């Protein structure tokens, strides 16, 4: 059994990982295989929960490799909050938004701040549509939001046969993990 947490990023994936660290029958990782190539990229062990927004670009391979066996979690956050977080966070660093803005969208000239907001909106909408399309055909799906995560978390524990300290896992959602600096 595996659990894959999919989404845009900037939406609680670090908190999701910390929450699943309270399971005693799962390992939990956040972007733990992000630097791997080829088949190693998706070589997740059994009884593992993984949160990695880059998996949204590998959904075909993920589906071929694991099929309907995993619990697939679509973790989301208010769209405008995600866009704002990405727009603020991309500056001066390698990021998925910069890769999307200059690689997937083939552009050479710099973006203005207003342009970056549109790049972030396009990224968020694209990833959300990719995840929604992938999950439409999956039987074991949990949709949860960072704003109200506990019902979704309970579903993950139930569908994934997760054992451990649920109360401690739930408490992680009251802590701001990986928050952007103000």
């Amino acid at each position: 059994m595996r659990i894959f947490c999919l989404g845009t990023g900037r939406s609680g994936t670090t908190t999701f990982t910390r929450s699943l660290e309270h399971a005693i029958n799962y390992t939990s990782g956040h972007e733990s295989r992000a630097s791997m190539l080829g088949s190693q990229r998706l070589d997740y062990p059994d009884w593992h929960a993984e949160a990695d927004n880059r998996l949204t670009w590998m959904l075909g391979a993920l589906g071929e490799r694991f099929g309907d066996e995993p619990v697939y979690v679509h973790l989301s956050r208010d769209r405008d909050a995600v866009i704002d977080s990405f727009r603020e966070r991309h500056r001066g660093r390698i990021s998925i938004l910069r890769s999307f803005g200059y690689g997937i969208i083939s552009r050479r000239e710099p973006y203005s701040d207003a342009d970056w907001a549109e790049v972030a909106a396009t990224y968020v909408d694209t990833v959300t549509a990719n995840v929604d399309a992938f999950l439409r055909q999956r039987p074991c799906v949990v949709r949860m939001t960072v704003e109200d995560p506990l019902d979704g978390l309970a579903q993950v524990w139930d569908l994934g046969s997760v054992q451990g300290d649920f109360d401690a896992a739930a408490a992680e959602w009251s802590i701001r993990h990986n928050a952007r600096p103000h």
Side-chain angles (χ1 to χ4, degrees), residues 107-159:
R107 180 170 171 152
R108 294 181 189 271
E109 60 271 3
Y111 289 107
S112 68
D113 279 342
D115 290 339
W116 275 116
E118 186 62 28
V119 171
T122 303
Y123 168 80
V124 167
D125 293 344
T126 299
V127 168
T128 300
N130 287 349
V131 172
D132 284 342
F134 176 76
L135 295 180
R136 246 182 246 127
Q137 57 193 354
R138 303 291 168 199
C140 201
V141 172
V142 175
R143 297 184 187 281
M144 61 188 289
T145 66
V146 72
E147 293 86 4
D148 189 20
L150 299 185
D151 285 343
L153 183 64
Q155 290 176 45
V156 169
W157 280 59
D158 182 48
L159 292 171

Side-chain angles (χ1 to χ4, degrees), residues 164-181:
D165 188 343
F166 181 81
D167 291 336
E172 292 290 344
W173 291 92
S174 64
I175 301 168
R176 289 191 63 178
H177 298 288
N178 199 23
R180 74 167 192 243

Side-chain angles (χ1 to χ4, degrees), residues 28-103:
S28 181
H30 184 264
E31 301 174 1
S32 65
R33 303 193 68 76
S35 66
M36 304 288 182
L37 297 172
S39 65
Q40 289 183 339
R41 177 60 172 91
L42 298 178
D43 197 16
Y44 294 103
D46 205 5
W47 298 101
H48 179 77
E50 182 70 20
D52 183 348
N53 66 329
R54 289 161 184 84
L55 290 175
T56 62
W57 301 101
M58 301 171 187
L59 294 174
L62 191 70
E64 285 178 6
R65 179 100 179 244
F66 299 106
D68 292 339
E69 176 265 329
V71 175
Y72 292 102
V73 179
H74 187 183
L75 180 59
S76 61
R77 177 181 173 201
D78 175 77
R79 178 182 181 270
D80 291 336
V82 174
I83 291 167
D84 188 48
S85 182
F86 269 122
R87 191 176 50 77
E88 291 296 320
R89 193 172 167 91
H90 84 276
R91 292 186 177 101
R93 60 182 292 176
I94 295 173
S95 71
I96 197 144
L97 188 64
R98 291 182 69 77
S99 297
F100 183 81
Y102 287 114

